[in-house]
């Protein structure tokens, strides 16, 4: 579904992605972690071209993103993206946040879109909040609506960019539960997160990235038990230590 | 003792009252059409001003600077006395057969005001976090459709107070249309004055109507933005 081949990305002189090679298969859940500034957010943002790549090849759902003829809007409709800051549309209710794109892009009728939206809100446990505006929802609730909004497009891939980092600790669980449920339904997912519990329990593979390079990539059991790279050992010590 | 004898009946009844009423109607028509068009054009120019395509951006920038920085009266005269001379004859005939004074005034008021509205809307758009655009684009909306469905609706809500003052300016500026013979309120008040020499009464009446219209617009737009457009509280 997603294939990085020798991808490079620069911000001016800064080399944010340095020869990234990664392959995410259909139905796989891949967690990306790394210290801040390592390039992990940039990595996930290249997949729906919020950040264009400078060199290499990136193929998403059979479309080559380095091809200037690729219809980026079409690709993005197939790729759900969940942001750290939720980014719900503040002028619309939860329901309308979810129905806008299906109606305007997929051409769904208002009724179809609303039925689907209510079903999705039920799935994320927020059916009773459909008429609430984002400002009336807690962070965790907003993020669950944002996930429902992304799912409403029936995406083939879901990308999560630190979905729980802006949340109060007691709200992290409710969002992770939704993501876990989604992973178990067979969705292809790529998740940038520091939630190592989620990585260990739900993911098929974990990648450790630093200085724009994937330093280690392994199944979760192996990743946490036998980290090979010195940087990863340090990193794990810090994020897993209860006293840090 | 004041020698002047007030005669309010002159402007509150009979023929002269009818003149003033017809003037009010024209002022309302002129203002309503121009506000609607200026708002639409302002939205379009604001989006063009932020376009990534350089010539489009430059055109919008030139448009803004040009129409904001020349007197409205000159623009009205230009459209009325100047523009038709460069048009083909057929178009010319058609224009003269329609209400060309009114049309010239609408064009001038629309274009002049749209330049101010565009700048207000642009500053509204710039105050929307860029993540809103990212979220819209991520859903598969094109740049223009993201603007239309997600960014502009928010920007307009933020821009309501300055928009109200642009609308009020337009209503008041519409009085300049009298100079090209549009029989709007100020024109009619002037007529009443010429026929009756009751200038105080005639222009007091006109003043009261302008004031009432302005207050009405402020109330309606504020009500609309508070009840229909909202609630969009700060995040």
């Amino acid at each position: 579904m997603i294939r990085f081949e020798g991808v490079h990305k620069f911000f001016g002189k800064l080399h944010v992605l340095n020869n990234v090679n990664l392959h995410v298969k259909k139905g796989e859940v891949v967690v990306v972690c790394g210290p801040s500034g390592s390039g992990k957010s940039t990595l996930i943002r290249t997949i729906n071209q919020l950040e264009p790549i400078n060199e290499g090849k990136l193929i998403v759902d059979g479309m080559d993103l380095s091809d200037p003829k690729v219809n980026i809007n079409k690709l993005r409709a197939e790729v759900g993206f969940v942001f750290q800051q939720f980014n719900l549309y503040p002028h619309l209710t939860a329901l309308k946040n979810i129905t806008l794109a299906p109606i305007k892009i997929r051409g769904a009728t208002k009724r179809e879109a609303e039925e689907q939206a209510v079903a999705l809100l039920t799935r994320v446990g927020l059916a009773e909040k459909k008429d609430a505006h984002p400002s009336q929802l807690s962070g965790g609730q907003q993020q669950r609506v944002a996930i429902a909004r992304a799912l409403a497009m029936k995406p083939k891939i879901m990308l999560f960019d630190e979905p729980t980092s802006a949340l109060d600790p007691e709200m992290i669980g409710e969002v992770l539960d939704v993501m876990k449920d989604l992973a178990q339904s067979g969705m292809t997912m790529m998740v940038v997160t520091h939630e190592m519990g989620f990585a260990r329990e739900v993911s098929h593979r974990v990648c450790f990235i630093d200085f724009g390079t994937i330093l280690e990539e392994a199944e979760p059991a192996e990743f946490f038990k036998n980290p090979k790279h010195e940087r990863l050992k340090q990193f794990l010590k810090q994020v897993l230590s209860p006293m840090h | 003792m004041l020698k002047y004898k007030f005669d309010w009946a002159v402007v509150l009844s009979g023929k002269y009252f009818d003149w003033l009423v017809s003037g009010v109607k024209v002022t309302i028509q002129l203002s309503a059409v121009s506000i609607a068009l200026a708002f639409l054009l302002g939205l379009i120019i604001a989006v063009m001003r932020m376009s990534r395509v350089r010539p489009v951006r430059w055109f919008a920038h030139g448009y803004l600077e040009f129409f904001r920085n020349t007197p409205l009266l000159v623009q009205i005269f230009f459209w009325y006395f100047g523009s038709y001379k460069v048009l083909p004859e057929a178009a010319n005939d058609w224009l003269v057969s329609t209400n060309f004074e009114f049309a010239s005034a609408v064009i001038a008021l629309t274009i002049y005001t749209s330049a101010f509205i565009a700048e207000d809307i642009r500053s509204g758009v710039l105050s929307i976090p860029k993540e809103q655009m990212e979220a819209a684009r991520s859903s598969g909306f094109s740049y223009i459709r993201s603007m239309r469905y997600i960014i502009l609706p928010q920007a307009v809500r933020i821009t309501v107070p300055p928009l109200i003052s642009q609308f009020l300016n337009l209503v008041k500026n519409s009085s300049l249309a009298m100079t090209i013979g549009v029989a709007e309120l100020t024109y009619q008040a002037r007529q009443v004055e010429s026929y009756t020499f009751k200038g105080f009464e005639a222009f007091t009446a006109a003043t009261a109507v302008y004031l009432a219209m302005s207050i009405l617009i402020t109330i309606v737009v504020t009500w609309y933005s508070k009840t229909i457009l909202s609630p969009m509280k700060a995040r």
Side-chain angles (χ1 to χ4, degrees), chain B residues 173-186:
Chain B
N173 285 337
S174 74
S175 61
L176 287 175
M178 75 168 288
T179 57
I180 55 170
V182 177
E184 47 69 67
L185 179 58
T186 308

Side-chain angles (χ1 to χ4, degrees), chain A residues 49-65:
Chain A
Q49 222 180 68
L50 284 177
E51 303 288 355
I53 62 170
N54 296 120
E55 266 174 57
K57 217 169 173 183
L58 173 52
I59 295 166
V60 181
D61 187 25
M63 283 189 251
D64 183 352
L65 293 199

Side-chain angles (χ1 to χ4, degrees), chain B residues 28-47:
Chain B
I28 290 174
Q29 285 169 356
L30 186 59
S31 303
V33 174
S34 304
I35 282 176
L37 293 177
F39 180 61
L40 272 181
L41 193 57
L43 282 175
I44 294 168
I45 298 292
V47 173

Side-chain angles (χ1 to χ4, degrees), chain B residues 72-88:
Chain B
L72 176 57
L73 189 56
V74 172
Q75 292 182 31
I76 290 175
F77 284 164
F78 173 81
W79 295 112
Y80 185 60
F81 295 115
S83 68
Y84 70 93
K85 301 212 161 142
V86 296
L87 290 175

